Amino acid sequence: MTGRGVRAGVIALAVALAAPLAGAQAHTPEGPGLAVVNPRASVADWDPLTDAKWAFEDGQVILTEPGTPQPGPRRPFEYAIVTQGPALGSLTYRAEVRIDEAVTVTNRDVILVWNYQSPTRFYYAHLSTDNTIYPHNGIFVVNDADRLRIDHQWNGTVGAAPSITDAEWHDVRLDYDARTGAIAVYLDGADEPRMTATDTSFAGGRFGFGSFDNFGRIRDVTVAGVRHR
């Protein structure tokens, strides 16, 4: 799909999510109720936790090395948050991602962050090669406590099918409805979500990208959603 087609599709999905929340205003793309954010691959638009671990080149936002554990609750080690545009509530987050860690590493991952309010308050979707360990390949909330797994697929032993098992680019779409707390993560244009969850801890915040303890990259980011006041 072309960049213009992706952007149009994301806007349409976000408008559908926005309608129950923002009323008629939400039906006007980039109007008073709805915002569309296309961050540049630049430090001007992304705020990394650790600047030295990131590169911005060729339209890509690149985490070049694993992060290190942060003090406080157990949570992802390294990420960059988009500072361009408004904070968003309900949203559709579309991008291409790649894991750069060697495919022989079984716990390799990247994460999508949304509703980021502070370093200890946010949601993230963990896209991993492994699906047999609690912290891997699921949807999580960090709410001033150790990350809590909230996806419906985890049964205590295994979760959804592994998300990324190679070194290729993958299309990811994340839908979040702040009104109901419904979360869905789709991979590579699939009609059915790979992971789902329901949680209403946070009604809005910013979005970003990173890894729990590996490294990778993101490009072609388009996020549309309801402006969070």
PDB file of all heavy atoms in Angstrom, residues 16-17 19 40 47 51 67 82-83 99 117-118 128 131 164 176 179 195-196 200 207 211 217 219:
ATOM      1  N   ALA A  16     -13.594   6.346  12.879  1.00  0.00           N
ATOM      2  CA  ALA A  16     -14.552   5.392  13.438  1.00  0.00           C
ATOM      3  C   ALA A  16     -14.378   5.264  14.944  1.00  0.00           C
ATOM      4  O   ALA A  16     -15.351   5.186  15.702  1.00  0.00           O
ATOM      5  CB  ALA A  16     -14.389   4.036  12.763  1.00  0.00           C
ATOM      6  N   LEU A  17     -13.143   5.236  15.413  1.00  0.00           N
ATOM      7  CA  LEU A  17     -12.890   5.165  16.851  1.00  0.00           C
ATOM      8  C   LEU A  17     -13.311   6.455  17.543  1.00  0.00           C
ATOM      9  O   LEU A  17     -13.802   6.444  18.669  1.00  0.00           O
ATOM     10  CB  LEU A  17     -11.400   4.927  17.113  1.00  0.00           C
ATOM     11  CG  LEU A  17     -10.859   3.525  16.870  1.00  0.00           C
ATOM     12  CD1 LEU A  17      -9.346   3.530  17.002  1.00  0.00           C
ATOM     13  CD2 LEU A  17     -11.463   2.520  17.828  1.00  0.00           C
ATOM     14  N   ALA A  19     -15.660   8.694  16.732  1.00  0.00           N
ATOM     15  CA  ALA A  19     -17.054   9.121  16.673  1.00  0.00           C
ATOM     16  C   ALA A  19     -17.786   9.067  18.008  1.00  0.00           C
ATOM     17  O   ALA A  19     -18.468  10.019  18.384  1.00  0.00           O
ATOM     18  CB  ALA A  19     -17.798   8.311  15.616  1.00  0.00           C
ATOM     19  N   ARG A  40       8.573  13.023  11.697  1.00  0.00           N
ATOM     20  CA  ARG A  40       9.778  12.849  10.893  1.00  0.00           C
ATOM     21  C   ARG A  40      10.777  11.980  11.660  1.00  0.00           C
ATOM     22  O   ARG A  40      10.732  11.895  12.879  1.00  0.00           O
ATOM     23  CB  ARG A  40      10.404  14.208  10.603  1.00  0.00           C
ATOM     24  CG  ARG A  40       9.529  15.153   9.793  1.00  0.00           C
ATOM     25  CD  ARG A  40      10.065  16.568   9.889  1.00  0.00           C
ATOM     26  NE  ARG A  40       9.986  17.072  11.262  1.00  0.00           N
ATOM     27  CZ  ARG A  40      10.471  18.244  11.648  1.00  0.00           C
ATOM     28  NH1 ARG A  40      11.080  19.033  10.786  1.00  0.00           N
ATOM     29  NH2 ARG A  40      10.368  18.632  12.913  1.00  0.00           N
ATOM     30  N   ASP A  47      11.768  11.978  21.213  1.00  0.00           N
ATOM     31  CA  ASP A  47      12.540  12.234  22.426  1.00  0.00           C
ATOM     32  C   ASP A  47      12.983  10.902  23.029  1.00  0.00           C
ATOM     33  O   ASP A  47      12.212  10.232  23.725  1.00  0.00           O
ATOM     34  CB  ASP A  47      11.690  13.010  23.433  1.00  0.00           C
ATOM     35  CG  ASP A  47      12.459  13.359  24.696  1.00  0.00           C
ATOM     36  OD1 ASP A  47      13.707  13.346  24.665  1.00  0.00           O
ATOM     37  OD2 ASP A  47      11.802  13.629  25.731  1.00  0.00           O
ATOM     38  N   ASP A  51      19.744   9.418  24.442  1.00  0.00           N
ATOM     39  CA  ASP A  51      20.041   9.943  23.108  1.00  0.00           C
ATOM     40  C   ASP A  51      21.118   9.151  22.384  1.00  0.00           C
ATOM     41  O   ASP A  51      21.028   8.911  21.172  1.00  0.00           O
ATOM     42  CB  ASP A  51      20.487  11.407  23.201  1.00  0.00           C
ATOM     43  CG  ASP A  51      19.359  12.343  23.604  1.00  0.00           C
ATOM     44  OD1 ASP A  51      18.188  11.907  23.568  1.00  0.00           O
ATOM     45  OD2 ASP A  51      19.645  13.504  23.961  1.00  0.00           O
ATOM     46  N   GLY A  67      18.868  -1.113  25.619  1.00  0.00           N
ATOM     47  CA  GLY A  67      18.854  -0.204  26.753  1.00  0.00           C
ATOM     48  C   GLY A  67      19.311  -0.905  28.022  1.00  0.00           C
ATOM     49  O   GLY A  67      19.675  -2.086  28.014  1.00  0.00           O
ATOM     50  N   VAL A  82       7.242  10.374  20.736  1.00  0.00           N
ATOM     51  CA  VAL A  82       7.003  11.431  19.758  1.00  0.00           C
ATOM     52  C   VAL A  82       6.502  12.683  20.470  1.00  0.00           C
ATOM     53  O   VAL A  82       5.512  12.631  21.214  1.00  0.00           O
ATOM     54  CB  VAL A  82       5.993  10.964  18.693  1.00  0.00           C
ATOM     55  CG1 VAL A  82       5.588  12.131  17.786  1.00  0.00           C
ATOM     56  CG2 VAL A  82       6.597   9.835  17.855  1.00  0.00           C
ATOM     57  N   THR A  83       7.180  13.782  20.230  1.00  0.00           N
ATOM     58  CA  THR A  83       6.807  15.058  20.838  1.00  0.00           C
ATOM     59  C   THR A  83       6.031  15.951  19.869  1.00  0.00           C
ATOM     60  O   THR A  83       5.474  16.960  20.277  1.00  0.00           O
ATOM     61  CB  THR A  83       8.053  15.810  21.313  1.00  0.00           C
ATOM     62  OG1 THR A  83       8.977  15.948  20.224  1.00  0.00           O
ATOM     63  CG2 THR A  83       8.740  15.044  22.438  1.00  0.00           C
ATOM     64  N   ILE A  99      13.114  -5.888  13.727  1.00  0.00           N
ATOM     65  CA  ILE A  99      14.013  -6.220  14.840  1.00  0.00           C
ATOM     66  C   ILE A  99      15.397  -6.432  14.262  1.00  0.00           C
ATOM     67  O   ILE A  99      15.584  -7.235  13.340  1.00  0.00           O
ATOM     68  CB  ILE A  99      13.540  -7.479  15.582  1.00  0.00           C
ATOM     69  CG1 ILE A  99      12.129  -7.286  16.151  1.00  0.00           C
ATOM     70  CG2 ILE A  99      14.510  -7.816  16.707  1.00  0.00           C
ATOM     71  CD1 ILE A  99      11.565  -8.517  16.840  1.00  0.00           C
ATOM     72  N   GLN A 117       2.161   8.733  29.569  1.00  0.00           N
ATOM     73  CA  GLN A 117       1.959   9.892  30.425  1.00  0.00           C
ATOM     74  C   GLN A 117       3.203  10.250  31.235  1.00  0.00           C
ATOM     75  O   GLN A 117       3.418  11.407  31.579  1.00  0.00           O
ATOM     76  CB  GLN A 117       0.778   9.635  31.365  1.00  0.00           C
ATOM     77  CG  GLN A 117      -0.536   9.423  30.632  1.00  0.00           C
ATOM     78  CD  GLN A 117      -1.707   9.228  31.579  1.00  0.00           C
ATOM     79  OE1 GLN A 117      -1.542   9.139  32.800  1.00  0.00           O
ATOM     80  NE2 GLN A 117      -2.905   9.161  31.027  1.00  0.00           N
ATOM     81  N   SER A 118       4.008   9.254  31.531  1.00  0.00           N
ATOM     82  CA  SER A 118       5.252   9.457  32.286  1.00  0.00           C
ATOM     83  C   SER A 118       6.077   8.181  32.157  1.00  0.00           C
ATOM     84  O   SER A 118       5.584   7.165  31.636  1.00  0.00           O
ATOM     85  CB  SER A 118       4.937   9.739  33.763  1.00  0.00           C
ATOM     86  OG  SER A 118       4.605   8.541  34.452  1.00  0.00           O
ATOM     87  N   SER A 128       7.467  -9.981  19.715  1.00  0.00           N
ATOM     88  CA  SER A 128       8.640 -10.804  19.995  1.00  0.00           C
ATOM     89  C   SER A 128       8.665 -12.080  19.174  1.00  0.00           C
ATOM     90  O   SER A 128       7.649 -12.534  18.635  1.00  0.00           O
ATOM     91  CB  SER A 128       8.656 -11.173  21.486  1.00  0.00           C
ATOM     92  OG  SER A 128       9.748 -12.010  21.806  1.00  0.00           O
ATOM     93  N   ASN A 131       6.939 -16.602  22.502  1.00  0.00           N
ATOM     94  CA  ASN A 131       5.593 -16.415  23.062  1.00  0.00           C
ATOM     95  C   ASN A 131       5.333 -17.337  24.250  1.00  0.00           C
ATOM     96  O   ASN A 131       4.188 -17.627  24.586  1.00  0.00           O
ATOM     97  CB  ASN A 131       4.524 -16.641  22.001  1.00  0.00           C
ATOM     98  CG  ASN A 131       4.429 -18.091  21.547  1.00  0.00           C
ATOM     99  OD1 ASN A 131       5.371 -18.868  21.715  1.00  0.00           O
ATOM    100  ND2 ASN A 131       3.292 -18.453  20.961  1.00  0.00           N
ATOM    101  N   ILE A 164       7.332 -11.578  15.280  1.00  0.00           N
ATOM    102  CA  ILE A 164       8.411 -11.321  14.321  1.00  0.00           C
ATOM    103  C   ILE A 164       9.504 -12.360  14.546  1.00  0.00           C
ATOM    104  O   ILE A 164      10.127 -12.398  15.608  1.00  0.00           O
ATOM    105  CB  ILE A 164       8.984  -9.906  14.492  1.00  0.00           C
ATOM    106  CG1 ILE A 164       7.894  -8.855  14.272  1.00  0.00           C
ATOM    107  CG2 ILE A 164      10.137  -9.682  13.528  1.00  0.00           C
ATOM    108  CD1 ILE A 164       8.344  -7.435  14.517  1.00  0.00           C
ATOM    109  N   TYR A 176      -6.743   1.540  19.417  1.00  0.00           N
ATOM    110  CA  TYR A 176      -7.078   1.702  20.832  1.00  0.00           C
ATOM    111  C   TYR A 176      -8.314   2.587  20.954  1.00  0.00           C
ATOM    112  O   TYR A 176      -8.350   3.683  20.396  1.00  0.00           O
ATOM    113  CB  TYR A 176      -5.914   2.333  21.600  1.00  0.00           C
ATOM    114  CG  TYR A 176      -6.268   2.695  23.027  1.00  0.00           C
ATOM    115  CD1 TYR A 176      -6.550   1.708  23.959  1.00  0.00           C
ATOM    116  CD2 TYR A 176      -6.345   4.027  23.430  1.00  0.00           C
ATOM    117  CE1 TYR A 176      -6.889   2.035  25.262  1.00  0.00           C
ATOM    118  CE2 TYR A 176      -6.676   4.365  24.732  1.00  0.00           C
ATOM    119  CZ  TYR A 176      -6.946   3.366  25.648  1.00  0.00           C
ATOM    120  OH  TYR A 176      -7.290   3.682  26.924  1.00  0.00           O
ATOM    121  N   ARG A 179     -12.662   4.869  25.082  1.00  0.00           N
ATOM    122  CA  ARG A 179     -13.976   4.774  25.726  1.00  0.00           C
ATOM    123  C   ARG A 179     -14.215   3.398  26.323  1.00  0.00           C
ATOM    124  O   ARG A 179     -14.657   3.253  27.466  1.00  0.00           O
ATOM    125  CB  ARG A 179     -15.084   5.106  24.721  1.00  0.00           C
ATOM    126  CG  ARG A 179     -16.511   5.021  25.271  1.00  0.00           C
ATOM    127  CD  ARG A 179     -17.503   5.395  24.195  1.00  0.00           C
ATOM    128  NE  ARG A 179     -17.380   4.535  23.030  1.00  0.00           N
ATOM    129  CZ  ARG A 179     -18.042   3.393  22.873  1.00  0.00           C
ATOM    130  NH1 ARG A 179     -18.861   2.958  23.825  1.00  0.00           N
ATOM    131  NH2 ARG A 179     -17.883   2.681  21.779  1.00  0.00           N
ATOM    132  N   MET A 195      -3.147  -9.867  18.680  1.00  0.00           N
ATOM    133  CA  MET A 195      -3.323  -9.737  20.127  1.00  0.00           C
ATOM    134  C   MET A 195      -4.443  -8.750  20.412  1.00  0.00           C
ATOM    135  O   MET A 195      -4.622  -7.785  19.688  1.00  0.00           O
ATOM    136  CB  MET A 195      -2.025  -9.255  20.773  1.00  0.00           C
ATOM    137  CG  MET A 195      -0.881 -10.227  20.675  1.00  0.00           C
ATOM    138  SD  MET A 195       0.653  -9.578  21.421  1.00  0.00           S
ATOM    139  CE  MET A 195       1.257  -8.528  20.110  1.00  0.00           C
ATOM    140  N   THR A 196      -5.171  -9.002  21.495  1.00  0.00           N
ATOM    141  CA  THR A 196      -6.237  -8.099  21.929  1.00  0.00           C
ATOM    142  C   THR A 196      -6.192  -7.958  23.450  1.00  0.00           C
ATOM    143  O   THR A 196      -5.665  -8.816  24.153  1.00  0.00           O
ATOM    144  CB  THR A 196      -7.627  -8.623  21.524  1.00  0.00           C
ATOM    145  OG1 THR A 196      -7.825  -9.933  22.099  1.00  0.00           O
ATOM    146  CG2 THR A 196      -7.782  -8.704  20.016  1.00  0.00           C
ATOM    147  N   THR A 200      -8.767   0.257  30.773  1.00  0.00           N
ATOM    148  CA  THR A 200      -9.121   1.682  30.776  1.00  0.00           C
ATOM    149  C   THR A 200      -8.274   2.477  31.776  1.00  0.00           C
ATOM    150  O   THR A 200      -8.716   3.495  32.293  1.00  0.00           O
ATOM    151  CB  THR A 200     -10.616   1.868  31.089  1.00  0.00           C
ATOM    152  OG1 THR A 200     -10.910   1.229  32.344  1.00  0.00           O
ATOM    153  CG2 THR A 200     -11.493   1.274  30.003  1.00  0.00           C
ATOM    154  N   PHE A 207       2.717   8.730  22.024  1.00  0.00           N
ATOM    155  CA  PHE A 207       3.075   7.406  21.508  1.00  0.00           C
ATOM    156  C   PHE A 207       4.559   7.357  21.193  1.00  0.00           C
ATOM    157  O   PHE A 207       5.240   8.388  21.096  1.00  0.00           O
ATOM    158  CB  PHE A 207       2.242   7.056  20.272  1.00  0.00           C
ATOM    159  CG  PHE A 207       2.465   7.943  19.080  1.00  0.00           C
ATOM    160  CD1 PHE A 207       3.433   7.642  18.139  1.00  0.00           C
ATOM    161  CD2 PHE A 207       1.703   9.084  18.886  1.00  0.00           C
ATOM    162  CE1 PHE A 207       3.649   8.450  17.039  1.00  0.00           C
ATOM    163  CE2 PHE A 207       1.893   9.909  17.793  1.00  0.00           C
ATOM    164  CZ  PHE A 207       2.871   9.587  16.864  1.00  0.00           C
ATOM    165  N   SER A 211      12.270  -0.898  22.673  1.00  0.00           N
ATOM    166  CA  SER A 211      12.463  -2.326  22.915  1.00  0.00           C
ATOM    167  C   SER A 211      12.592  -2.546  24.413  1.00  0.00           C
ATOM    168  O   SER A 211      13.026  -1.655  25.144  1.00  0.00           O
ATOM    169  CB  SER A 211      13.731  -2.821  22.211  1.00  0.00           C
ATOM    170  OG  SER A 211      13.991  -4.177  22.530  1.00  0.00           O
ATOM    171  N   ARG A 217      14.139  -0.961  14.624  1.00  0.00           N
ATOM    172  CA  ARG A 217      13.863   0.315  13.977  1.00  0.00           C
ATOM    173  C   ARG A 217      12.416   0.416  13.507  1.00  0.00           C
ATOM    174  O   ARG A 217      11.710  -0.591  13.398  1.00  0.00           O
ATOM    175  CB  ARG A 217      14.824   0.529  12.813  1.00  0.00           C
ATOM    176  CG  ARG A 217      14.739  -0.515  11.718  1.00  0.00           C
ATOM    177  CD  ARG A 217      15.877  -0.329  10.703  1.00  0.00           C
ATOM    178  NE  ARG A 217      17.184  -0.657  11.285  1.00  0.00           N
ATOM    179  CZ  ARG A 217      18.337  -0.251  10.743  1.00  0.00           C
ATOM    180  NH1 ARG A 217      18.351   0.486   9.645  1.00  0.00           N
ATOM    181  NH2 ARG A 217      19.478  -0.595  11.315  1.00  0.00           N
ATOM    182  N   ARG A 219       9.696   2.903  10.727  1.00  0.00           N
ATOM    183  CA  ARG A 219       9.595   3.875   9.642  1.00  0.00           C
ATOM    184  C   ARG A 219       8.125   4.012   9.231  1.00  0.00           C
ATOM    185  O   ARG A 219       7.271   3.230   9.654  1.00  0.00           O
ATOM    186  CB  ARG A 219      10.451   3.455   8.445  1.00  0.00           C
ATOM    187  CG  ARG A 219       9.950   2.214   7.717  1.00  0.00           C
ATOM    188  CD  ARG A 219      10.888   1.797   6.599  1.00  0.00           C
ATOM    189  NE  ARG A 219      10.364   0.629   5.869  1.00  0.00           N
ATOM    190  CZ  ARG A 219      11.035  -0.043   4.936  1.00  0.00           C
ATOM    191  NH1 ARG A 219      12.276   0.322   4.619  1.00  0.00           N
ATOM    192  NH2 ARG A 219      10.474  -1.080   4.337  1.00  0.00           N
TER     193      ARG A 219
END
